[in-house]
Every structure is written in C-alpha cells, then in structure tokens.
Amino acid sequence: MRRAGQLDRPLLPEYSGARIVAVADVIREHLDRTREKFKVDGARAYYGPEAYRELASSKLDAVAIETPPYFHPDHAAAAVDAGKHVYLAKPVAVDVPGCKRILAAGRKRRRRI
C-alpha cells in the first residue's frame, strides 16, 4: 500500500503541468509529511476519516485517489459528486460492484475517471 507522498502524484506536475494544492489523510504524520513534500498550505491539508469529503468539496479541478482500493468507490463517488475529475490508482476497486459503482458515478456526472 502506498501512502500519500509515496505515489504517482509527483509525475502529475512534472508531465502535465498540474499543481497539487490540497492533500488528505487519516494518519496525521503522513498528512504532515505529504503537505510539506508538496508545499501545500496547511489550510488545504484535510485530516480524519471524512477528510476525503472535505478535500473533494474544496475548490479543485481534479482529485488523485491513492487510498487503499477498498475505499476507492466511496472516495471516487464523493469526488465525482462534487464535480471533480478523478485520477484513480489501480486496482480501481476490490470487486466488480465497486468498479461498476465508480464507472456509474463518472457517467452520471460526465466526469473523467
């Protein structure tokens, strides 16, 4: 399992011009380390079990989800429902219903996943 800060996201700014402007995690130490690594303002670092909802509802264009796959359907649905495009680490989900839920959320809101 990769934690925030140990993921594909460093490639996003380097190759796409994207900026990392917010981070979320349920483990304070990981959140702080990631926030410092990507120079994210402390006000945009969301902590706790509902942090993904706070991040998704903040002013962003897209969300990179690098949580354990079990959580991907909930996290992706929250981001898509908030109007965000989603970059999702693989595996997409742990089962077929989870994958279908993610695809349905993207189609419903016409967002890229």
Side-chain angles (χ1 to χ4, degrees):
M1 174 174 75
R2 292 177 295 181
R3 298 295 315 162
Q6 302 173 315
L7 36 89
D8 296 332
R9 282 188 266 167
L11 298 176
L12 293 175
E14 185 176 342
Y15 294 104
S16 71
R19 292 181 306 124
I20 297 171
V21 298
V23 293
D25 206 309
V26 297
I27 300 172
R28 174 65 73 186
E29 294 80 20
H30 295 167
L31 177 68
D32 292 341
R33 191 173 331 126
T34 303
R35 183 185 61 74
E36 291 170 13
K37 179 177 182 177
F38 294 109
K39 298 176 178 63
V40 171
D41 181 345
R44 303 293 305 272
Y46 304 100
Y47 169 69
E50 295 297 313
Y52 73 96
R53 291 185 191 280
E54 293 178 69
L55 183 134
S57 66
S58 68
K59 186 174 165 69
L60 304 167
D61 296 323
V63 174
I65 298 174
E66 293 274 357
T67 54
Y70 175 82
F71 298 107
H72 286 179
D74 289 338
H75 294 179
V80 169
D81 286 347
K84 310 305 187 266
H85 296 288
V86 175
Y87 168 85
L88 193 57
K90 61 183 181 179
V92 172
V94 296
D95 56 17
V96 172
C99 292
K100 287 182 176 182
R101 182 172 167 217
I102 290 168
L103 288 173
R107 287 184 183 133
K108 177 181 170 187
R109 297 286 186 171
R110 296 184 181 174
R111 293 292 176 223
R112 291 184 180 237
I113 297 183

